[in-house]
Amino acid sequence: MLIPIITVDGPGGAGKGTICKRLAERLNWHLLDSGMLYRLLALSAMNHHVAVDNEAALKVMASALDIKFQSIAGQEGICAWLEGEDVTDAIRSEDVGMAASKIALQPAARSALLARQRAFAEAPGLVADGRDMGTVVFVEAPLKIYLTASVEERAKRRHKQLLDKGQSDTLPRLVEAIKARDDSDMNRAVAPLKPAPDALTIDSTLMSIDEVCQQILDEAAKRGIL
Ligand code: C5P
């Protein structure tokens, strides 16, 4: 049976996490947050003092990662455990994000995570959130979304997220961090962040979460996926 898949790719802070979780809940489909895999690998490398450019060690670590996910209704995002420890908050730090972005440059680490990502495609369907879901991991997906938003809007959203968690950072610093990560993700040699040729681009700068979800669901219905 062909598993229906909706891929949602785009830069950090465009709202992919929230949108994908909502979509998966609405459709009762599985959810893959592939960025979390890269973040978990990054945290594991930091914990075990493995350098972000040690490709051979990262490859071994990626294949053997001891991780667990759980999507808890009503809670933003997915909870994650690494080697038995709840690391849901730890993997969201800017440091881990930057390290994940550097690890994501290594072809060996990327390919070691491929099978793990594809294993999420199970009935009744999958919503896959990432940078290369439509271009590399699930090229056959019948609906591919490229979700974007202006850098300033993404920085504002991140700022609010941090404040909600009792953490803070200045807006100009967040803008710089987002630009640096975009630059690394969009200009890398392997699986650079870009829309798949057959992707539908949605700019969420002036849209609500509900509006984005509705547009994606309408498109899925129009294509006969639901
Ligand atoms: O989406 P998130 O910010 O959690 O992803 C962290 C980093 O992991 C990204 O900056 C990107 O470099 C990398 N990543 C990737 N491919 C994916 C998902 C994430 O390269 N499919």
Side-chain angles (χ1 to χ4, degrees):
M1 185 192 140
L2 204 60
I3 309 292
I5 300 174
I6 299 177
T7 61
V8 183
D9 290 308
K16 287 173 296 156
T18 312
I19 305 277
C20 287
K21 183 158 184 191
R22 289 258 185 116
L23 286 175
E25 277 170 10
R26 287 270 286 275
L27 298 169
N28 221 356
W29 285 9
H30 298 279
L31 173 62
L32 164 64
D33 176 346
S34 58
M36 263 180 121
L37 285 177
Y38 287 89
R39 286 173 182 268
L40 286 163
L41 181 56
L43 183 62
S44 181
M46 286 156 92
N47 288 347
H48 295 287
H49 307 289
V50 168
V52 289
D53 58 355
N54 185 343
E55 199 161 0
L58 288 172
K59 186 180 167 185
V60 174
M61 282 181 70
S63 318
L65 264 190
D66 171 12
I67 52 183
K68 199 182 92 183
F69 298 107
Q70 202 178 351
S71 180
I72 299 173
Q75 207 167 302
E76 205 190 307
I78 303 172
C79 297
W81 284 261
L82 174 65
E83 293 164 11
E85 192 191 336
D86 182 348
V87 293
T88 312
D89 289 333
I91 57 168
R92 289 290 145 211
S93 75
E94 220 40 60
D95 283 356
V96 174
M98 269 327 276
S101 196
K102 286 184 186 143
I103 283 175
L105 300 172
Q106 318 287 332
R110 299 199 73 84
S111 62
L113 290 179
L114 264 185
R116 259 177 203 268
Q117 297 176 75
R118 291 189 175 138
F120 278 78
E122 282 195 82
L126 173 70
V127 180
D129 160 353
R131 302 289 192 288
D132 61 344
M133 299 295 99
T135 50
V136 176
V137 185
F138 301 110
V139 280
E140 305 299 332
L143 178 56
K144 299 176 181 177
I145 304 295
Y146 188 78
L147 187 65
T148 182
S150 71
V151 172
E152 291 70 24
E153 178 62 24
R154 289 189 280 137
K156 268 192 231 157
R157 291 177 189 170
R158 177 82 185 129
H159 192 239
K160 183 173 179 306
Q161 250 176 10
L162 286 175
L163 287 181
D164 289 348
K165 279 194 211 152
Q167 303 165 3
S168 76
D169 206 338
T170 67
L171 218 47
R173 279 222 327 228
L174 288 172
V175 167
E176 284 320 304
I178 285 177
K179 280 188 183 159
R181 200 130 67 83
D182 281 0
D183 184 54
S184 170
D185 289 347
M186 290 174 182
N187 297 310
R188 66 188 177 207
V190 212
L193 170 64
K194 60 170 185 216
D198 50 347
L200 170 72
T201 295
I202 301 178
D203 183 337
S204 74
T205 308
L206 299 172
M207 290 172 81
S208 70
I209 292 164
D210 283 338
E211 284 170 334
V212 176
C213 285
Q214 201 51 55
Q215 188 178 344
I216 296 173
L217 289 170
D218 289 348
E219 192 62 34
K222 209 162 77 187
R223 295 182 190 206
I225 298 164
L226 305 184

